[in-house]
Amino acid sequence: DIQMTQSPSPLSASVGDRVTITCRASQTISTYLNWYQQKPGKAPKLLIYAASSLHSGVPSRFSGSASGTDFTLSISSLQPEDFATYYCQQTYSTPYTFGQGTKLEIK
Amino acid sequence: QLQLQESGPGLVKPSETLSLTCTVSGGSISDSTYFWGWIRQPPGKGLEWIGSIYYSGSPDYNPSLTSRVTISVDTSKNQFSLKLSSVTAADTAVYYCARHLGSWSYYFDCWGQGKLVTVSS
């Protein structure tokens, strides 16, 4: 199975900050990397697919990038509704696997 | 607007079979663009993909569960189902059904609200 490792966890930040979450794959996955946001008691929501494509309806302050087996999710200016847990997921091969999650907390 | 809704018992006894159904509304499960999957999340933990199925069949399972899991589809009812046999307390989780793209990025773009299933006697 392909292992996905996220860092940091947790992450403390303030409204207005720029934050970056990193996800590293244990082997090459091309750009088959997706990012999800999950709030307590809710289902995950797709933010970014194919490493850097913004899903429909997602604010432009979210962005993704890739470099080899390292992937990043950036939020340019944190809003109160952005405090949540973020997961990366590889869909390069089955079994599809997720990172362990990064909880973004208010500082 | 596409919606997915999980249904089934919220309490299952150890060694029995967990059975859940996902009903798709606002779209057709026979849409050739998509697969239909199950994902679970134990309380306070991360996400685990269980398996996916195409409308015509041919399920794909997580090898960690393949000996116990069956996913099937009923196009006449616009539903797909999950069965997990010989459950233990470790199978206690929120179970989500979701739609995912059947090609290119395979991203999961529409999820049900989730169904908490507790395994306990």
Side-chain angles (χ1 to χ4, degrees):
Chain A
D1 298 2
I2 298 174
Q3 306 303 314
M4 307 301 294
T5 304
Q6 287 183 233
S7 61
S9 188
L11 174 59
S12 296
S14 302
V15 173
D17 284 354
R18 176 182 177 86
V19 299
T20 297
I21 298 169
T22 297
C23 179
R24 173 168 290 175
S26 61
Q27 64 184 75
T28 183
I29 59 169
S30 185
T31 55
Y32 289 82
L33 190 284
N34 311 308
W35 289 98
Y36 300 86
Q37 177 194 67
Q38 186 179 34
K39 295 183 178 179
K42 300 295 186 181
K45 289 186 176 180
L46 178 66
L47 297 175
I48 301 284
Y49 63 93
S52 60
S53 295
L54 196 66
H55 184 52
S56 175
V58 175
S60 59
R61 62 181 180 273
F62 290 91
S63 63
S65 66
S67 177
T69 58
D70 291 338
F71 301 85
T72 59
L73 171 69
S74 296
I75 311 172
S76 61
S77 178
L78 275 174
Q79 299 302 300
E81 61 268 27
D82 299 336
F83 292 94
T85 299
Y86 293 84
Y87 292 93
C88 62
Q89 176 206 32
Q90 67 81 18
T91 47
Y92 179 77
S93 66
T94 59
Y96 302 136
T97 47
F98 294 84
Q100 77 275 24
T102 292
K103 186 175 182 179
L104 180 52
E105 303 174 329
I106 300 175
K107 185 184 287 185
Chain B
Q1 181 180 355
L2 188 81
Q3 291 188 319
L4 287 76
Q5 179 69 58
E6 304 89 350
S7 60
L11 181 64
V12 181
K13 290 182 169 56
S15 80
E16 296 190 345
T17 296
L18 178 160
S19 297
L20 294 175
T21 295
C22 182
T23 300
V24 178
S25 58
S28 174
I29 203 168
S30 300
D31 188 330
S32 61
T33 309
Y34 299 102
F35 279 67
W36 305 90
W38 288 96
I39 303 97
R40 70 179 181 178
Q41 184 173 38
K45 297 188 178 180
L47 300 160
E48 179 182 32
W49 174 75
I50 299 170
S52 297
I53 193 166
Y54 197 50
Y55 76 95
S56 59
S58 301
D60 191 1
Y61 301 136
N62 191 320
S64 68
L65 296 168
T66 191
S67 63
R68 299 194 291 132
V69 68
T70 302
I71 297 176
S72 58
V73 62
D74 186 337
T75 55
S76 67
K77 294 182 179 179
N78 227 31
Q79 295 176 334
F80 62 108
S81 298
L82 168 71
K83 291 188 186 298
L84 184 65
S85 64
S86 304
V87 297
T88 69
D91 295 310
T92 293
V94 175
Y95 286 76
Y96 295 101
C97 60
R99 179 182 81 170
H100 70 94
L101 201 62
S103 63
W104 187 44
S105 186
Y106 302 96
Y107 54 78
F108 288 65
D109 67 338
C110 189
W111 297 60
Q113 65 183 26
K115 176 74 176 181
L116 174 63
V117 179
T118 301
V119 178
S120 176
S121 55

